[in-house]
């Protein structure tokens, strides 16, 4: 056993590895909050004649390319591009930097916004036409209809999909390790480079991911049950 | 109470209502019958603008309903009961009935609750006031839907095939409630396939076919001696 999994060698590193969970969860949490805001905005835009084209284009691009590419463009390419535009072409000397953390939050928010808008849109479509007509027939205003009937029902119906998106974010946030943010995956790489151990830190990080996602899944199911109207 | 003049409505190529003219009288119960696709539901839905007429006028007393800027004010005076109940699935029975009182009529919660409880008792479903709609049978849901429409104290009630989606054993409980609403000063306009019920409660019968009113008559005359051949044939088929 000790040859396969050297617990004594990895145990001093476990606290260091666990701290990576902070970044992992913070990125997922901030990105999902901002993602919901972007998602609602895109959904509202998609109901407008001209703006719907922008919304469609945005969603198409973000769903049609890998997030690793999006992160690389935002972290490596765009600061360089802005730097060239501002300093070289306008002959200025302004320091253009984007921290790895900001780049991660921006990328994941923009990316999940595209997915969340699709979730919200299908949630709204799931509200029965009859309930909306009943509200209309009672003289209820559009504002109250959205606030009290359409959005609450849409939210309830799309909760499982939103939870799923959050879990996806927790897992996908692991790619921020490529820009040096010290999340779980990045810390594993650091431990590996210091100790020449691969298996042990990977297993520890894997267990942490698995447990966190298990807790999220179970909590999600409980909330989902409580949201049922019966 | 409600005057319909030269009403026309098409869905694409389908001409659903063809030059409809009728005066629904105050305090009377009018039952609209006819085979499916004859335009009866569309006529009903035009009265509270769930469908927009292509041309023609609809007046509630002296107010022109179509072209009205404030359709919500008019809709408060016209209650509607749907074939598929359409209760708000995220609200309890009580909140279904009080919702429009609170947000449209801006009544206090206490006042709205009192009115709702009274109506729920009237339709015989007070014991389910804290249930959500999906735990009720179709007949129970439809009675809640009737209470919800009545809560607004409308002048006119529209019923769009209120028993068509119900299991046979639940039809009568809904019809009993509807019967109580006749001869109360309320103007009822009912689209229905329940001929026995129509015979019993209707002051007037309208028979529609292919988007036109073929015959309108008092109920007794209509069922005993319909004056048009098409109405005779229709009655022969279904009775």
């Amino acid at each position: 056993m000790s040859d396969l999994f050297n617990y004594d060698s990895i145990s001093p590193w476990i606290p260091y590895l666990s701290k990576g969970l902070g970044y992992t969860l913070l990125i997922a949490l901030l990105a999902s909050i901002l993602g919901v805001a972007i998602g609602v905005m895109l959904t509202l835009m998609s109901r407008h004649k001209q703006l719907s084209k922008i919304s469609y284009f945005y969603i198409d691009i973000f769903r049609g390319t890998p997030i690793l590419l999006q992160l690389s463009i935002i972290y490596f390419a765009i600061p360089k591009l802005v730097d060239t535009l501002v300093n070289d072409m306008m002959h200025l000397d302004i320091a253009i930097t984007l921290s790895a953390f900001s780049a991660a939050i921006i990328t994941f928010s923009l990316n999940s916004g595209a997915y969340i808008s699709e979730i919200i849109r299908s949630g709204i479509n799931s509200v029965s036409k009859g309930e909306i007509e009943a509200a209309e027939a009672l003289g209820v205003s559009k504002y109250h209809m959205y606030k009290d009937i359409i959005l609450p029902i849409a939210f309830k119906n799309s909760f499982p999909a939103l939870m799923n998106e959050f879990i996806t974010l927790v897992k996908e946030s692991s790619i921020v390790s490529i820009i040096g943010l010290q999340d779980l995956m990045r810390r594993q790489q650091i431990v590996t480079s210091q100790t020449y151990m691969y298996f042990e830190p990977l297993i520890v990080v894997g267990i942490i991911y698995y447990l966190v996602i298990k807790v999220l899944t179970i909590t999600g199911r409980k909330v989902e049950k409580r949201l049922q109207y019966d | 109470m409600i005057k319909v003049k030269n009403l026309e409505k098409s869905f694409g190529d389908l001409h659903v209502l063809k030059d409809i003219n009728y005066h629904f009288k105050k305090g009377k119960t009018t039952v609209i019958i006819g085979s499916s696709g004859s335009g009866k539901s569309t006529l009903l839905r035009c009265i509270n603008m769930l469908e927009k007429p292509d041309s023609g006028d609809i007046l509630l007393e002296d107010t022109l309903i179509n072209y009205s800027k404030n359709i919500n004010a008019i809709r408060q005076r016209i209650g509607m009961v749907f074939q598929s109940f359409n209760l708000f699935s995220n609200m309890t029975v009580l909140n279904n009935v009080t919702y429009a009182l609170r947000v449209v009529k801006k009544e206090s919660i206490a006042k709205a609750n009192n009115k709702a409880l009274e109506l729920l008792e009237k339709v015989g479903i007070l014991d389910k006031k804290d249930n959500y709609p999906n735990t009720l049978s179709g007949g129970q849901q439809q009675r809640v839907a009737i209470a919800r429409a009545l809560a607004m104290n409308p002048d006119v009630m529209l019923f769009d095939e209120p028993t068509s989606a119900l299991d046979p054993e639940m039809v009568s409980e809904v019809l009993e409630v509807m019967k109580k609403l006749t001869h109360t000063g309320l103007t009822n306009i009912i689209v229905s396939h329940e001929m026995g019920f129509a015979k019993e409660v209707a002051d007037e019968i309208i028979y529609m076919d292919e988007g036109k009113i073929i015959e309108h008559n008092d109920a007794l005359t209509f069922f005993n001696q319909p004056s048009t051949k098409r109405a005779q044939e229709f009655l022969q088929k279904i009775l």
Side-chain angles (χ1 to χ4, degrees):
Chain A
M1 182 66 198
S2 61
D3 289 344
L4 283 174
F5 190 91
N6 195 337
Y7 182 76
D8 293 338
S9 307
I10 192 65
S11 65
W13 292 99
I14 290 178
Y16 174 78
L17 286 169
S18 312
K19 276 187 198 138
L21 186 59
Y23 266 127
T24 297
L25 288 180
L26 192 62
I27 291 167
L29 202 67
L30 283 177
S32 57
I33 292 168
L34 293 170
V36 166
I38 295 170
V40 168
M41 218 168 66
L42 289 170
T43 308
L44 293 178
M45 280 165 70
S46 72
R47 307 197 148 225
H48 188 277
K49 250 198 189 124
Q50 268 87 46
L51 293 178
S52 71
K53 284 179 195 142
I54 301 175
S55 151
Y56 179 81
F57 179 72
Y58 178 104
I59 293 167
D60 198 43
I61 294 294
F62 274 92
R63 296 193 354 152
T65 55
I67 193 161
L68 187 54
L69 174 93
Q70 294 163 14
L71 182 65
S72 305
I73 288 178
I74 287 171
Y75 184 63
F76 298 116
I78 288 185
K80 183 83 186 84
L81 197 72
V82 174
D83 187 73
T84 308
L85 280 174
V86 172
N87 293 331
D88 295 1
M89 297 176 80
M90 295 169 75
H91 308 291
L92 294 168
D93 188 22
I94 300 168
I96 307 281
T97 54
L98 183 64
S99 72
F101 183 69
S102 307
I105 296 297
I106 293 170
T107 309
F108 279 93
S109 302
L110 293 175
N111 180 277
S112 73
Y115 286 92
I116 288 173
S117 86
E118 295 283 282
I119 294 172
I120 294 172
R121 194 206 317 250
S122 71
I124 288 177
N125 288 341
S126 75
V127 179
S128 84
K129 199 166 155 266
E131 283 176 63
I132 296 166
E133 279 188 347
E136 282 175 342
L138 287 163
V140 176
S141 66
K142 269 249 148 58
Y143 166 76
H144 276 109
M145 222 182 282
Y146 269 92
K147 177 174 143 305
D148 300 328
I149 298 162
I150 299 176
L151 289 179
I153 295 173
F155 175 75
K156 187 213 73 177
N157 289 348
S158 42
F159 181 79
L162 286 171
M163 198 64 204
N164 208 19
E165 174 64 18
F166 183 66
I167 287 170
T168 305
L169 273 172
V170 170
K171 289 188 283 190
E172 281 196 342
S173 70
S174 60
I175 65 157
V176 299
S177 57
I178 66 142
I179 59 171
L181 262 188
Q182 294 207 7
D183 76 322
L184 286 168
M185 280 310 283
R186 179 67 190 158
R187 281 171 190 249
Q188 169 270 318
Q189 289 159 9
I190 291 168
V191 171
T192 297
S193 70
Q194 304 248 330
T195 62
Y196 304 106
M197 287 192 292
Y198 271 103
F199 191 58
E200 289 81 355
L202 278 170
I203 288 296
V204 169
V205 165
I207 290 171
I208 296 173
Y209 270 118
Y210 181 79
L211 289 179
V212 166
I213 282 156
K214 201 82 206 164
V215 168
L216 288 174
T217 309
I218 292 169
T219 316
R221 277 203 201 115
K222 283 206 171 127
V223 175
E224 202 181 308
K225 273 213 180 102
R226 290 198 58 175
L227 286 175
Q228 293 304 319
Y229 304 120
D230 49 31
Chain B
M1 193 74 205
I2 286 185
K3 285 194 192 108
V4 179
K5 291 178 184 168
N6 309 109
L7 184 64
E8 296 274 347
K9 174 75 186 171
S10 297
F11 294 113
D13 291 340
L14 197 66
H15 200 171
V16 191
L17 295 177
K18 299 166 187 161
D19 193 27
I20 302 287
N21 289 282
Y22 196 73
H23 180 192
F24 295 93
K25 290 172 200 74
K26 196 179 169 114
K28 300 285 184 196
T29 296
T30 308
V31 178
I32 306 173
I33 63 176
S35 45
S36 47
S38 59
K40 37 191 208 313
S41 283
T42 307
L43 170 58
L44 201 70
R45 290 164 59 84
C46 282
I47 293 175
N48 67 354
M49 288 293 116
L50 285 180
E51 300 292 352
K52 277 209 167 68
D54 297 336
S55 65
D57 289 335
I58 302 170
L59 291 109
L60 173 66
E61 287 180 322
D62 293 321
T63 320
L64 199 57
I65 297 179
N66 47 339
Y67 313 118
S68 161
K69 285 234 165 66
N70 194 356
I71 185 65
N72 284 342
I74 290 166
R75 281 171 170 165
Q76 290 176 48
R77 298 177 56 194
I78 305 176
M80 180 143 188
V81 174
F82 299 85
Q83 181 175 351
S84 48
F85 332 128
N86 299 347
L87 294 178
F88 305 129
S89 57
N90 61 332
M91 298 182 202
T92 62
V93 163
L94 184 64
N95 284 337
N96 260 281
V97 181
T98 61
Y99 177 66
L101 290 174
R102 288 182 280 122
V103 307
V104 180
K105 289 203 164 177
K106 314 278 180 214
E107 287 185 10
S108 69
I109 293 178
K111 200 177 162 202
N113 279 354
N114 277 341
K115 196 188 268 175
L117 293 173
E118 201 178 295
L119 282 164
L120 288 173
E121 179 155 36
K122 195 170 162 188
V123 301
I125 201 148
L126 191 57
D127 54 325
K128 303 276 187 198
K129 68 179 167 58
D130 297 320
N131 284 41
Y132 281 96
N134 68 352
T135 64
L136 304 183
S137 74
Q140 290 171 327
Q141 289 191 51
Q142 195 60 297
R143 285 184 282 146
V144 174
I146 293 172
R148 174 176 69 177
L150 289 175
M152 296 296 276
N153 230 352
D155 301 315
V156 179
M157 280 286 278
L158 308 175
F159 292 87
D160 189 6
E161 305 197 25
T163 58
S164 297
L166 296 176
D167 291 335
E169 71 270 22
M170 288 167 189
V171 170
S172 66
E173 65 185 64
V174 171
L175 294 182
E176 282 307 312
V177 169
M178 288 171 64
K179 242 181 250 174
K180 286 190 207 161
L181 302 179
T182 58
H183 310 296
T184 56
L186 197 60
T187 306
N188 295 297
I189 306 174
I190 304 169
V191 170
S192 182
H193 295 292
E194 300 288 336
M195 292 305 144
F197 173 74
K199 214 177 205 171
E200 193 180 342
V201 304
D203 297 304
E204 300 267 334
I205 300 279
I206 294 178
Y207 169 63
M208 285 183 71
D209 194 23
E210 291 175 341
K212 287 189 203 140
I213 294 181
I214 304 296
E215 176 169 350
H216 59 87
N217 231 324
D218 63 277
L220 201 68
T221 315
F222 181 83
F223 283 107
N224 292 333
Q225 303 162 291
S227 48
T228 56
K229 194 155 186 297
R230 268 201 270 178
Q232 284 168 18
E233 284 168 4
F234 175 75
L235 287 173
Q236 258 163 23
K237 253 186 274 171
I238 56 160
L239 289 181

